[in-house]
Amino acid sequence: MRVLITGITGPVGSFLADYLLTLPDLEIHALKRWRSDPRPIEHLQGNVTLHEGDIEDSFSMATLMRRVQPDRVFHLAAQSYPSASWDAPVTTLRANTEGTLNILEALRTNVPQARLHIACTSAQYGIVNPADVPIKESHPLRPGSPYGVSKAAAEMLGLQYHQSYGLHVVVTRSFNHVGPRQGDRCSIQTFCQQMAAIEAGQSEPVMHVGNLEPQRDFSHFSDVARALWLLLEKAPAGEVYNLCSGVATRISDIVDLVQRFGRVPIEVRLDPSRLRPVDEPILQGDNSKLRQATGWEPQIGMEQIVQEVLDFWRARYGIL
């Protein structure tokens, strides 16, 4: 079976490749842009066939699908930061919406029998009344950022191609995914990166934070990777699934964990530049549909996540 991953240099992509390499009889292919940071996938060299291209280029995607002839496609490539979408809304829409359309059309015209997963986001829900938590897939979509809008459009395109052309499409609305190999824009990453820098003596003992009141649903990349494979193998097509732990953690509690696992005392200080124009007070998903379709359950909790991310950044600063 040939498996293709777009967005291989992202953390979900590399953890997914790690998981797939433990399964028998799979030939793994992956798409990367020439300018993407190769460090997260250095350990995959020799085990994964890499192809260079860009999802925003329809010709490139058609060529890729003709060349690889994949049986399974995990579409993870995206502009994946809600905060960045405020500064670059057009780029976000091109990458996430038009890029997904290019994938769909390349499959329709070249490999219509392939199964496709499209990674979308809980940001599509927008601000949710606490009475509606945990959020079910039936909840209305009211995205509060250009990023959320771009992913809502990508989801609708995927479902439309399933209805109109019979493509096997499964969509996940992913809540927060975290773990090693991630950039420093996610809240947990910024906290752990700052702590590691302080421990290394490269920063003053102050952790700069934004809004600590929101509650978010976090899953480890390893749990996410297992869920994605099970969804394409077991779940009905044309459906949307929340991919989440089902547990909401307050951001301030994560800061407390970082301080507890840290090696030096620090001051926590509010940085107004880290505040977003809109910040949903709570995003907690209901993952019962995913569990029922696949038998999946998350295995890694918040304490282990914080410890792993802290160690990841300590290694970057040479103090592990």
Side-chain angles (χ1 to χ4, degrees):
M1 182 187 295
R2 291 185 178 181
V3 179
L4 173 64
I5 302 170
T6 74
I8 186 66
T9 56
V12 177
S14 66
F15 271 88
L16 177 59
D18 288 342
Y19 177 70
L20 296 179
L21 287 170
T22 69
L23 304 179
D25 303 322
L26 296 183
E27 180 181 316
I28 303 172
H29 295 253
L31 173 70
K32 70 175 290 291
R33 293 182 299 176
W34 64 267
R35 62 186 182 273
S36 296
D37 183 356
R39 288 178 297 177
I41 58 171
E42 287 176 345
H43 66 289
L44 297 174
Q45 297 295 327
N47 294 311
V48 173
T49 301
L50 293 177
H51 305 264
E52 289 195 345
D54 195 319
I55 61 171
E56 295 181 50
D57 186 325
S58 60
F59 178 84
S60 173
M61 291 304 94
T63 301
L64 175 69
M65 297 308 173
R66 284 196 299 269
R67 180 180 299 141
V68 176
Q69 292 289 306
D71 301 290
R72 304 286 187 271
V73 178
F74 294 93
H75 177 37
L76 307 174
Q79 192 298 93
S80 57
Y81 293 104
S83 57
S85 74
W86 293 102
D87 297 322
V90 174
T91 298
T92 300
L93 285 161
R94 284 176 178 164
N96 297 352
T97 304
E98 188 174 338
T100 299
L101 177 59
N102 290 337
I103 294 283
L104 287 161
E105 189 62 15
L107 286 173
R108 183 185 74 84
T109 56
N110 295 283
V111 203
Q113 74 279 7
R115 296 186 180 188
L116 172 66
H117 159 257
I118 299 176
C120 290
T121 174
S122 61
Q124 296 168 220
Y125 293 118
I127 295 177
V128 176
N129 189 312
D132 295 326
V133 172
I135 306 165
K136 295 182 179 292
E137 289 86 352
S138 57
H139 190 84
L141 301 184
R142 302 187 184 97
S145 67
Y147 168 73
V149 171
S150 73
K151 285 295 194 175
E155 173 183 307
M156 291 179 184
L157 282 168
L159 298 178
Q160 181 255 309
Y161 266 67
H162 168 73
Q163 295 170 357
S164 300
Y165 304 116
L167 292 188
H168 186 110
V169 176
V170 171
V171 178
T172 54
R173 292 181 190 151
S174 298
F175 287 64
N176 295 65
H177 300 338
V178 291
R181 305 179 203 159
Q182 194 174 25
D184 62 358
R185 301 191 72 151
C186 168
S187 60
I188 295 178
Q189 301 288 343
T190 63
F191 304 151
C192 292
Q193 185 269 338
Q194 290 181 77
M195 178 60 79
I198 293 167
E199 292 175 352
Q202 298 187 26
S203 179
E204 63 175 340
V206 176
M207 180 184 294
H208 299 275
V209 302
N211 184 4
L212 298 182
E213 289 306 307
Q215 300 177 60
R216 294 291 183 265
D217 187 324
F218 293 94
S219 300
H220 191 282
F221 294 129
S222 294
D223 284 335
V224 172
R226 287 189 300 106
L228 294 183
W229 175 252
L230 290 170
L231 278 167
L232 269 196
E233 293 307 295
K234 296 186 175 184
E239 295 287 338
V240 177
Y241 299 87
N242 285 336
L243 180 44
C244 56
S245 69
V247 176
T249 302
R250 194 177 301 276
I251 302 301
S252 61
D253 292 336
I254 297 171
V255 172
D256 291 343
L257 282 175
V258 175
Q259 289 182 278
R260 191 208 311 174
F261 296 134
R263 297 168 180 168
V264 295
I266 62 166
E267 173 193 348
V268 177
R269 185 181 300 170
L270 177 65
D271 179 354
S273 70
R274 295 173 184 258
L275 299 176
R276 295 179 179 179
V278 177
D279 220 345
E280 301 88 348
I282 182 168
L283 284 174
Q284 177 185 358
D286 182 330
N287 61 19
S288 57
K289 184 177 179 180
L290 167 60
R291 289 174 182 257
Q292 291 167 6
T294 66
W296 173 87
E297 290 188 7
Q299 297 176 347
I300 300 175
M302 183 53 62
E303 289 196 4
Q304 182 176 338
I305 288 171
V306 170
Q307 288 175 320
E308 286 189 14
V309 174
L310 257 178
D311 286 343
F312 169 77
W313 285 105
R314 284 168 175 155
R316 284 283 187 95
Y317 283 97
I319 58 171
L320 185 59

